[in-house]
Amino acid sequence: DTGVSQDPRHKITKRGQNVTFRCDPISEHNRLYWYRQTLGQGPEFLTYFQNEAQLEKSRLLSDRFSAERPKGSFSTLEIQRTEQGDSAMYLCASSLNGADTQYFGPGTRLTVL
Amino acid sequence: LAKTTQPISMDSYEGQEVNITCSHNNIATNDYITWYQQFPSQGPRFIIQGYKTKVTNEVASLFIPADRKSSTLSLPRVSLSDTAVYYCLVGLMNRDDKIIFGKGTRLHILP
């Protein structure tokens, strides 16, 4: 257990539905990252926050994806109008600062039917 | 970030020492080398990081030759529980940098 928690661990939804995932980082960590991982591939960067500010978004993050980190604590990742191609493991990581080791949560596995 | 190349998969037996080599020919002067381990259905876990020569911790050793164009992760006396995917990453650790993962090396430990 790294101290980073994610909820839910598994989510099955039908195409077109909206889903929201939550990540609780290690409490004193300022940085929070979201990644997506598909079968057989390494994690791909999606976006990251420095406290409550979203500083960078990958081109992978389409308009259907939105992430927030209110008050610089937990973060949510919402996917609107889910598509089958969104099926993946969504990973959250946190670090004390930008140059520090990232600690990953267990991930949320999304299956879109 | 410098591109890395590592074997797609490796097999070994319990009790053996396993060495996984990563090539990073375009490593920059300020780049560090970091290894992560990932078990199925879990997030990656930091193993070890180094800049040059040799680094050792309670889990593994990291060997980096003088030219730094490659590095070797060494796992002593592996057990079945070391079966996992191992990722080699190269980048700067003295500034903001997002991690870019490759496909990693799938290590399978046999009894």
Side-chain angles (χ1 to χ4, degrees):
Chain A
D1 184 3
T2 62
V4 179
S5 61
Q6 292 186 245
D7 183 70
R9 293 293 308 276
H10 303 274
K11 178 70 177 179
I12 300 174
T13 191
K14 293 183 179 180
R15 188 177 55 180
Q17 297 295 303
N18 299 343
V19 294
T20 300
F21 310 139
R22 176 179 170 126
C23 170
D24 286 273
I26 295 172
S27 60
E28 65 268 24
H29 283 186
N30 298 313
R31 280 286 176 97
L32 188 148
Y33 303 79
W34 285 99
Y35 295 83
R36 180 175 69 186
Q37 185 174 27
T38 53
L39 198 61
Q41 304 296 316
E44 297 171 295
F45 169 80
L46 292 179
T47 188
Y48 81 88
F49 293 83
Q50 174 72 28
N51 298 314
E52 66 275 10
Q54 187 173 17
L55 296 187
E56 186 173 348
K57 295 169 62 174
S58 163
R59 284 189 293 270
L60 294 174
L61 215 63
S62 75
D63 292 342
R64 297 183 296 105
F65 288 70
S66 63
E68 295 182 342
R69 192 184 182 196
K71 303 179 182 179
S73 55
F74 70 91
S75 176
T76 58
L77 177 68
E78 181 182 17
I79 309 174
Q80 296 182 325
R81 306 181 302 283
T82 52
E83 301 172 357
Q84 288 185 325
D86 297 330
S87 295
M89 174 79 86
Y90 290 83
L91 293 161
C92 172
S94 72
S95 66
L96 187 59
N97 291 301
D100 295 309
T101 300
Q102 293 187 21
Y103 295 89
F104 285 79
T108 294
R109 182 166 297 282
L110 172 66
T111 301
V112 181
L113 302 175
Chain B
L1 293 176
K3 181 178 178 180
T4 60
T5 303
Q6 36 179 143
I8 297 294
S9 65
M10 293 179 65
D11 290 340
S12 187
Y13 292 92
E14 279 193 294
Q16 299 294 306
E17 177 184 77
V18 172
N19 296 310
I20 306 174
T21 297
C22 178
S23 298
H24 27 80
N25 292 319
N26 297 323
I27 189 169
T29 302
N30 294 332
D31 283 347
Y32 280 72
I33 300 156
T34 308
W35 286 80
Y36 278 79
Q37 174 192 56
Q38 186 177 25
F39 298 113
S41 300
Q42 295 186 26
R45 182 175 76 107
F46 171 86
I47 302 176
I48 197 165
Q49 182 182 84
Y51 182 80
K52 63 180 180 180
T53 62
K54 176 184 175 182
V55 179
T56 297
N57 62 22
E58 64 277 6
V59 177
S61 294
L62 179 59
F63 298 92
I64 306 168
D67 67 4
R68 302 197 333 118
K69 292 184 182 299
S70 67
S71 59
T72 299
L73 174 72
S74 181
L75 304 173
R77 297 179 300 281
V78 294
S79 65
L80 295 176
S81 62
D82 291 314
T83 295
V85 179
Y86 292 81
Y87 296 98
C88 166
L89 301 128
V90 175
L92 293 174
M93 294 305 293
N94 61 350
R95 67 168 175 81
D96 294 347
D97 214 357
K98 57 182 180 288
I99 292 179
I100 298 179
F101 288 82
K103 293 187 177 182
T105 297
R106 295 187 173 278
L107 176 63
H108 187 203
I109 305 301
L110 303 167

